[in-house]
């Protein structure tokens, strides 16, 4: 369940990134009665707002130059304007272009925007480039964040439940094999110390199935490193992680 939640979180995050990459930064979606701020660097040869004229292709979009300010990240002087759509505006797309006030020509570099007016919020949702936003009406990044948090619930629950299982196996003198790999000397298996007692090299270990009901073979301890035991199978049986190991007491 944790893995599934993580995979879904990645899928939603990818959906958001794809939508962000396809998004036109100059296109804005509004409902009647809403407004937004437009901002860009001051065009070449201008220092004041009265040197600029921001014009709309439709009277449904009213514009007001607000202020100039210094950019936070890259510095430089930027302008800010407010675009407002009246509550009576009809759906449609309109252009907003910045001009030089002195000669009425477009600024260099060109600063042009598109404002698309929608009738309802569902229309804006249907126009979203994100599949999850169109389907569920929420940000894909928000869904990804929630799924990542939910993924930790089964993962930590599994870890919490594993402790009493490990202790119960230790009480029976057994340990779960967590790794098995092929080697020229034979299949190597890895498991934690079955008890607090040290396990010497060349000690024989009995390998059982995951229910400790059937003996699958024997292994010879090769090394013990920081509480983890490495042993080599003495039989041709292929062992999988999840089987159990139990030292053969003399």
């Amino acid at each position: 369940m944790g893995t599934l939640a993580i995979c879904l979180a990645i899928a939603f995050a990818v959906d958001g990134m794809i939508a962000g990459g396809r998004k036109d930064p100059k296109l804005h979606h509004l409902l009647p009665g809403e407004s937004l701020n437009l901002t860009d660097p001051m065009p070449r040869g201008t220092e004041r707002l009265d040197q600029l004229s921001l014009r709309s292709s439709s009277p449904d979009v009213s514009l007001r130059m607000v202020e100039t300010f210094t950019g936070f990240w890259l510095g430089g002087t930027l302008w800010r304007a407010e675009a407002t759509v009246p509550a009576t505006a009809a759906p449609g797309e309109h252009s907003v272009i910045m001009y030089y006030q002195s000669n009425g020509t477009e600024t260099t570099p060109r600063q042009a925007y598109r404002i698309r007016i929608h009738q309802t919020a569902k229309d804006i949702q249907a126009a979203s480039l994100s599949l999850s936003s169109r389907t569920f009406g929420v940000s894909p990044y928000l869904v990804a964040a929630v799924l990542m948090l939910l993924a930790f619930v089964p993962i930590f629950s599994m870890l919490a439940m594993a402790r009493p299982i490990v202790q119960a196996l230790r009480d029976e003198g057994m340990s779960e094999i967590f790794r098995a790999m092929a080697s020229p000397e034979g299949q190597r298996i890895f498991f934690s110390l079955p008890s607090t007692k040290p396990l010497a090299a060349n000690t024989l270990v009995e390998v059982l199935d995951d229910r400790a009901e059937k003996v699958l073979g024997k292994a010879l301890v090769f090394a013990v490193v920081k509480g983890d035991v490495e042993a080599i199978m003495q039989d041709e049986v292929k062992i999988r992680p999840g089987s159990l190991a139990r030292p053969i007491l003399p």
Side-chain angles (χ1 to χ4, degrees), residues 16-208:
M17 288 186 287
I18 292 175
R22 294 173 57 198
K23 181 181 179 181
D24 182 358
K26 300 295 185 180
L27 174 62
H28 303 278
H29 300 269
L30 287 179
L31 292 174
E34 291 185 337
S35 62
L36 62 85
N37 286 327
L38 299 175
T39 182
D40 244 332
M42 291 291 287
R44 296 172 189 168
T46 59
E47 297 178 355
R48 305 184 312 274
L49 287 180
D50 58 12
Q51 295 176 303
L52 299 172
S53 175
L54 191 60
R55 305 174 190 175
S56 170
S57 63
S58 169
D60 281 341
V61 181
S62 60
L63 303 168
R64 182 174 67 92
M65 300 298 290
V66 178
E67 63 178 346
T68 59
F69 63 100
T70 302
F72 181 77
W73 296 108
L74 301 178
T77 304
L78 292 82
W79 58 261
R80 179 183 290 116
E82 183 182 59
T84 304
V85 176
T88 56
E93 183 174 306
H94 312 291
S95 62
V96 174
I97 303 174
M98 182 68 80
Y99 292 86
Y100 289 112
Q101 184 77 301
S102 58
N103 54 22
T105 60
E106 292 186 13
T107 56
T108 304
R110 189 171 189 258
Q111 296 178 342
Y113 316 89
R114 291 184 295 150
I115 295 181
R116 188 172 296 171
I117 304 173
H118 298 268
Q119 189 169 6
T120 64
K122 287 186 176 181
D123 295 332
I124 294 182
Q125 178 180 333
S128 174
L129 297 175
S130 165
L131 177 62
S132 56
S133 294
R134 290 198 307 270
T135 306
F136 305 109
V138 294
S139 167
Y141 296 112
L142 176 61
V143 179
V146 172
L147 285 171
M148 286 300 294
L149 292 175
L150 291 177
F152 288 105
V153 175
I155 291 175
F156 284 121
S157 298
M158 181 182 64
L159 293 175
M161 290 186 293
R163 289 186 177 183
I165 295 175
V166 171
Q167 187 57 49
L169 288 173
R170 281 192 170 187
D171 293 341
E172 297 294 331
M174 293 183 289
S175 180
E176 184 178 2
I177 297 172
F178 60 81
R179 184 184 179 192
M181 59 180 289
S183 72
E185 298 84 7
Q187 189 182 30
R188 292 176 181 259
I189 59 174
F190 300 81
F191 55 93
S192 300
L193 281 171
S195 66
T196 56
K197 298 179 181 179
L199 200 60
N202 298 321
T203 301
L204 275 176
V205 174
E206 199 171 42
V207 179
L208 305 94

Side-chain angles (χ1 to χ4, degrees), residues 206-217 244:
E206 199 171 42
V207 179
L208 305 94
D209 63 3
D210 57 355
R211 290 180 172 270
E213 296 174 349
K214 181 181 178 182
V215 177
L216 303 179
L244 303 175

